[in-house]
Amino acid sequence: AALRMERADVRWIDFSAPRDVRVSIPHQRNAGVRAAGGDVIVFIDARCTPQEGWLATLVAPILAGEEDVVAGAVGSSDGDSPWDSEDDGGYLSECPTINLAFTRRAFESVGGFDESFSYGSDVDFTWRLNDAGFRILRRAAARITHEWGSTPRRLRRSFDYGVARGRLYRKHTRRIPGALRSDPVPFAYPVFLLGLPLVRRFPLYPTLLLIPAWRNRRIGPVRAVIDHLIYGAGTMAGALRR
């Protein structure tokens, strides 16, 4: 409310969630794009702080007529996180809307965000963009930092993102064979969790977690493994939930 009072140049939209919808994120995204007047749409999330020059860097390839979709980089305000993105250049197979710009043409070509999702509608949106022939350019120089919140909030997010991943693969089943190699976390961790009863016969079974712990040593192995275990539990829930 304070920001709304301070920024008279910003147009605020009063949004009412549809009846019987618990999480209305995709509905809000569609409402925001519909209300926007420009041909270039930019998304940034709450709890995000853009670095100097962020907006100009993010939209430059679009304004130059070179690209239709550009994603910036995300870093944590409190240290490394499994959700950070640092790589520069090239094209992405998916990305969230936390730091994203796209043309209205691209948005309308795929019909916007799928409002049947709770979480994960942004990844579904970018998957459909790729399927429609739109490339997602990575621009790490267009960087924001994000405050991921307290530990309980972060763990809850891991579960919600896992549920979303299961829902995504239910919708995009043809992606599963390739995802077993390119996106192993939502498959490997559910398998590990389902195999936990084996501990009674194979006490060293949990030591399998040393492999991902070593691979994620830069961001904190214990934190990463716990996040991924909860994410895996969410993936199972999302895959089974109607």
Coordinates of all heavy atoms in Angstrom, one line a residue, residues 47 76-84 119 146-163 216 219-232 234:
R47 N 9.6 -9.5 -3.9 CA 10.9 -9.8 -3.1 C 12.1 -9.8 -4.1 O 13.1 -10.3 -3.7 CB 10.8 -11.1 -2.4 CG 9.8 -11.2 -1.3 CD 9.7 -12.7 -0.8 NE 8.7 -12.7 0.3 CZ 9.0 -12.7 1.6 NH1 10.3 -12.5 1.9 NH2 8.1 -12.8 2.5
S76 N 20.5 -15.0 -5.4 CA 19.9 -14.9 -4.1 C 20.5 -13.7 -3.3 O 21.7 -13.4 -3.4 CB 20.1 -16.2 -3.3 OG 19.5 -17.3 -3.9
S77 N 19.7 -13.1 -2.5 CA 20.2 -12.0 -1.7 C 20.9 -12.5 -0.4 O 21.5 -11.7 0.3 CB 19.0 -11.1 -1.3 OG 18.0 -11.8 -0.6
D78 N 20.7 -13.8 -0.1 CA 21.3 -14.4 1.1 C 22.1 -15.6 0.8 O 22.1 -16.6 1.6 CB 20.1 -14.7 2.1 CG 19.1 -15.7 1.5 OD1 19.2 -15.9 0.2 OD2 18.3 -16.2 2.2
G79 N 22.9 -15.5 -0.3 CA 23.7 -16.7 -0.6 C 23.2 -17.5 -1.7 O 22.1 -17.2 -2.2
D80 N 23.9 -18.5 -2.2 CA 23.5 -19.3 -3.3 C 22.2 -20.1 -3.0 O 22.0 -20.5 -1.8 CB 24.6 -20.3 -3.7 CG 25.8 -19.5 -4.3 OD1 25.6 -18.5 -4.9 OD2 26.9 -20.0 -4.1
S81 N 21.4 -20.4 -4.0 CA 20.2 -21.2 -3.8 C 20.1 -22.1 -5.0 O 20.6 -21.9 -6.1 CB 19.0 -20.2 -3.8 OG 17.8 -20.9 -4.1
P82 N 19.4 -23.3 -4.8 CA 19.2 -24.2 -5.9 C 18.4 -23.6 -7.1 O 18.4 -24.1 -8.2 CB 18.4 -25.3 -5.3 CG 18.7 -25.3 -3.8 CD 18.9 -23.8 -3.5
W83 N 17.7 -22.5 -6.8 CA 16.8 -21.8 -7.8 C 17.5 -20.7 -8.5 O 16.9 -20.1 -9.4 CB 15.5 -21.3 -7.1 CG 14.9 -22.3 -6.2 CD1 14.8 -22.2 -4.9 CD2 14.4 -23.6 -6.5 NE1 14.2 -23.3 -4.3 CE2 13.9 -24.2 -5.4 CE3 14.3 -24.3 -7.8 CZ2 13.3 -25.5 -5.3 CZ3 13.7 -25.6 -7.7 CH2 13.2 -26.1 -6.5
D84 N 18.8 -20.4 -8.2 CA 19.5 -19.4 -8.9 C 19.8 -19.8 -10.4 O 19.9 -21.0 -10.7 CB 20.8 -19.1 -8.2 CG 20.6 -18.4 -6.8 OD1 19.5 -18.1 -6.5 OD2 21.6 -18.3 -6.1
Y119 N 0.8 -23.8 -9.4 CA 2.2 -23.3 -9.6 C 2.6 -24.0 -10.9 O 2.1 -25.0 -11.3 CB 3.1 -23.7 -8.4 CG 2.7 -23.0 -7.1 CD1 1.8 -23.7 -6.2 CD2 3.1 -21.8 -6.8 CE1 1.5 -23.1 -5.0 CE2 2.8 -21.2 -5.6 CZ 1.9 -21.8 -4.7 OH 1.5 -21.2 -3.6
H146 N 17.0 -12.1 -5.5 CA 15.7 -12.5 -4.9 C 15.9 -12.9 -3.5 O 16.8 -13.7 -3.2 CB 15.1 -13.6 -5.7 CG 13.7 -14.1 -5.3 ND1 12.7 -13.2 -5.1 CD2 13.2 -15.3 -4.9 CE1 11.6 -13.8 -4.7 NE2 11.9 -15.1 -4.5
E147 N 15.0 -12.5 -2.6 CA 14.9 -12.9 -1.2 C 14.0 -14.1 -1.2 O 12.8 -14.0 -1.3 CB 14.4 -11.8 -0.3 CG 14.3 -12.1 1.1 CD 13.6 -11.1 1.9 OE1 13.3 -10.0 1.4 OE2 13.2 -11.5 3.1
W148 N 14.6 -15.3 -0.9 CA 13.8 -16.5 -1.0 C 13.0 -16.7 0.3 O 12.1 -17.6 0.4 CB 14.7 -17.7 -1.3 CG 15.3 -17.7 -2.6 CD1 16.5 -17.4 -3.0 CD2 14.6 -18.0 -3.9 NE1 16.7 -17.4 -4.4 CE2 15.5 -17.8 -4.9 CE3 13.3 -18.4 -4.2 CZ2 15.2 -18.0 -6.3 CZ3 13.0 -18.6 -5.5 CH2 13.9 -18.4 -6.5
G149 N 13.3 -16.0 1.4 CA 12.5 -16.1 2.6 C 13.1 -17.0 3.6 O 14.2 -17.5 3.5
S150 N 12.3 -17.3 4.6 CA 12.7 -18.1 5.8 C 12.9 -19.6 5.3 O 12.4 -20.0 4.3 CB 11.7 -18.0 6.9 OG 10.5 -18.5 6.5
T151 N 13.5 -20.4 6.2 CA 13.6 -21.8 5.9 C 12.3 -22.5 5.7 O 12.1 -23.2 4.7 CB 14.4 -22.5 7.0 OG1 15.8 -21.9 7.0 CG2 14.5 -24.0 6.7
P152 N 11.3 -22.3 6.6 CA 10.0 -22.9 6.3 C 9.4 -22.5 5.0 O 8.8 -23.3 4.3 CB 9.1 -22.5 7.5 CG 10.1 -22.2 8.6 CD 11.3 -21.6 7.9
R153 N 9.5 -21.2 4.6 CA 9.0 -20.8 3.4 C 9.7 -21.4 2.2 O 9.1 -21.8 1.2 CB 9.1 -19.2 3.3 CG 8.5 -18.6 2.0 CD 8.8 -17.1 2.0 NE 8.2 -16.5 0.8 CZ 7.0 -16.0 0.7 NH1 6.1 -16.1 1.7 NH2 6.6 -15.5 -0.4
R154 N 11.0 -21.5 2.3 CA 11.8 -22.1 1.3 C 11.4 -23.6 1.1 O 11.3 -24.1 -0.1 CB 13.3 -22.0 1.6 CG 14.2 -22.7 0.6 CD 15.6 -22.3 0.9 NE 16.0 -22.5 2.2 CZ 16.4 -23.7 2.7 NH1 16.3 -24.8 2.0 NH2 16.7 -23.9 4.0
L155 N 11.3 -24.3 2.2 CA 10.9 -25.7 2.1 C 9.5 -25.9 1.5 O 9.3 -26.9 0.7 CB 11.0 -26.4 3.4 CG 12.5 -26.4 4.0 CD1 12.5 -27.1 5.4 CD2 13.4 -27.1 3.1
R156 N 8.6 -25.0 1.9 CA 7.3 -25.1 1.3 C 7.3 -24.9 -0.2 O 6.6 -25.5 -1.0 CB 6.4 -24.1 2.0 CG 4.9 -24.0 1.4 CD 4.2 -25.3 1.7 NE 3.0 -25.4 0.9 CZ 2.2 -26.5 0.9 NH1 2.4 -27.5 1.7 NH2 1.1 -26.5 0.1
R157 N 8.2 -23.9 -0.6 CA 8.3 -23.6 -2.0 C 8.8 -24.9 -2.8 O 8.4 -25.2 -3.9 CB 9.3 -22.4 -2.2 CG 9.4 -22.1 -3.7 CD 10.5 -21.0 -3.9 NE 10.0 -19.7 -3.3 CZ 10.5 -19.1 -2.2 NH1 11.4 -19.7 -1.5 NH2 10.0 -18.0 -1.8
S158 N 9.8 -25.6 -2.2 CA 10.3 -26.8 -2.8 C 9.2 -27.8 -3.0 O 9.2 -28.4 -4.1 CB 11.5 -27.4 -1.9 OG 12.6 -26.5 -1.8
F159 N 8.4 -28.0 -2.1 CA 7.3 -28.9 -2.2 C 6.3 -28.4 -3.3 O 5.9 -29.2 -4.2 CB 6.5 -29.1 -0.9 CG 5.4 -30.1 -1.0 CD1 5.7 -31.5 -0.9 CD2 4.1 -29.8 -1.2 CE1 4.7 -32.5 -1.0 CE2 3.1 -30.7 -1.3 CZ 3.4 -32.1 -1.2
D160 N 5.9 -27.2 -3.3 CA 5.0 -26.6 -4.3 C 5.6 -26.7 -5.7 O 4.9 -27.1 -6.7 CB 4.7 -25.2 -4.0 CG 3.8 -25.0 -2.8 OD1 3.1 -26.0 -2.4 OD2 3.8 -23.9 -2.1
Y161 N 6.9 -26.4 -5.8 CA 7.5 -26.6 -7.1 C 7.6 -28.0 -7.6 O 7.4 -28.3 -8.8 CB 9.0 -26.0 -7.1 CG 9.1 -24.5 -7.0 CD1 7.9 -23.7 -7.0 CD2 10.3 -23.9 -7.0 CE1 8.0 -22.3 -7.0 CE2 10.4 -22.5 -7.0 CZ 9.3 -21.7 -7.0 OH 9.4 -20.3 -6.9
G162 N 7.8 -28.9 -6.7 CA 7.7 -30.3 -7.0 C 6.4 -30.8 -7.5 O 6.2 -31.5 -8.5
V163 N 5.3 -30.3 -6.8 CA 3.9 -30.6 -7.2 C 3.7 -30.1 -8.6 O 3.1 -30.8 -9.5 CB 2.9 -30.0 -6.2 CG1 1.5 -30.1 -6.8 CG2 3.0 -30.7 -4.9
N216 N 26.3 -30.7 -5.4 CA 25.8 -29.4 -5.0 C 26.6 -28.8 -3.9 O 26.0 -28.0 -3.1 CB 24.3 -29.6 -4.6 CG 23.4 -29.9 -5.7 OD1 22.9 -29.1 -6.4 ND2 23.1 -31.2 -5.9
I219 N 26.6 -24.8 -3.3 CA 25.4 -24.1 -2.7 C 25.1 -24.6 -1.3 O 24.1 -24.2 -0.7 CB 24.2 -24.1 -3.6 CG1 23.7 -25.6 -3.8 CG2 24.5 -23.5 -5.0 CD1 22.4 -25.6 -4.6
G220 N 25.8 -25.6 -0.8 CA 25.5 -26.2 0.4 C 24.9 -27.6 0.3 O 23.7 -27.6 -0.1
P221 N 25.7 -28.6 0.4 CA 25.1 -30.0 0.1 C 23.9 -30.4 0.9 O 23.0 -31.0 0.4 CB 26.4 -30.9 0.4 CG 27.2 -30.1 1.3 CD 27.0 -28.7 0.9
V222 N 23.9 -30.1 2.2 CA 22.8 -30.5 3.1 C 21.5 -29.8 2.6 O 20.5 -30.4 2.5 CB 23.1 -30.3 4.5 CG1 21.9 -30.6 5.4 CG2 24.3 -31.1 5.0
R223 N 21.7 -28.5 2.5 CA 20.5 -27.7 2.1 C 20.0 -28.1 0.7 O 18.8 -28.3 0.6 CB 21.0 -26.2 2.0 CG 19.9 -25.3 1.4 CD 20.4 -23.9 1.4 NE 19.4 -22.9 0.8 CZ 19.6 -21.6 0.7 NH1 20.7 -21.1 1.0 NH2 18.6 -20.9 0.2
A224 N 20.8 -28.4 -0.2 CA 20.4 -28.8 -1.6 C 19.7 -30.2 -1.5 O 18.6 -30.4 -2.1 CB 21.6 -28.9 -2.5
V225 N 20.3 -31.1 -0.8 CA 19.7 -32.5 -0.7 C 18.3 -32.4 0.0 O 17.3 -33.1 -0.5 CB 20.6 -33.5 0.0 CG1 19.9 -34.8 0.4 CG2 21.8 -33.7 -0.8
I226 N 18.2 -31.7 1.1 CA 16.9 -31.5 1.7 C 15.8 -30.9 0.8 O 14.7 -31.4 0.7 CB 17.0 -30.7 3.0 CG1 17.8 -31.5 4.1 CG2 15.6 -30.4 3.6 CD1 18.1 -30.8 5.3
D227 N 16.3 -29.8 0.1 CA 15.4 -29.2 -0.8 C 14.9 -30.2 -1.9 O 13.7 -30.2 -2.3 CB 16.1 -28.0 -1.5 CG 16.0 -26.7 -0.7 OD1 15.1 -26.6 0.2 OD2 16.9 -25.8 -0.9
H228 N 15.8 -31.0 -2.4 CA 15.5 -31.9 -3.5 C 14.6 -33.1 -3.0 O 13.8 -33.6 -3.8 CB 16.8 -32.4 -4.2 CG 17.4 -31.3 -5.0 ND1 18.8 -31.4 -5.4 CD2 17.0 -30.2 -5.5 CE1 19.1 -30.4 -6.1 NE2 18.0 -29.6 -6.2
L229 N 14.8 -33.5 -1.8 CA 14.0 -34.6 -1.2 C 12.5 -34.1 -1.1 O 11.6 -34.8 -1.5 CB 14.5 -35.0 0.1 CG 15.8 -35.9 0.1 CD1 16.3 -36.1 1.5 CD2 15.4 -37.3 -0.5
I230 N 12.4 -32.9 -0.6 CA 11.0 -32.3 -0.5 C 10.4 -32.1 -1.9 O 9.2 -32.3 -2.1 CB 11.1 -31.0 0.4 CG1 11.5 -31.4 1.8 CG2 9.7 -30.3 0.4 CD1 11.7 -30.2 2.7
Y231 N 11.3 -31.6 -2.8 CA 10.8 -31.4 -4.2 C 10.4 -32.7 -4.8 O 9.3 -32.8 -5.4 CB 12.0 -30.8 -4.9 CG 11.8 -30.5 -6.4 CD1 11.3 -29.3 -6.8 CD2 12.1 -31.4 -7.4 CE1 11.1 -28.9 -8.1 CE2 11.9 -31.1 -8.7 CZ 11.4 -29.9 -9.1 OH 11.2 -29.6 -10.4
G232 N 11.1 -33.8 -4.5 CA 10.7 -35.1 -5.0 C 9.4 -35.6 -4.4 O 8.6 -36.2 -5.2
G234 N 7.0 -33.6 -3.5 CA 6.0 -32.8 -4.2 C 5.8 -33.4 -5.6 O 4.6 -33.4 -6.0

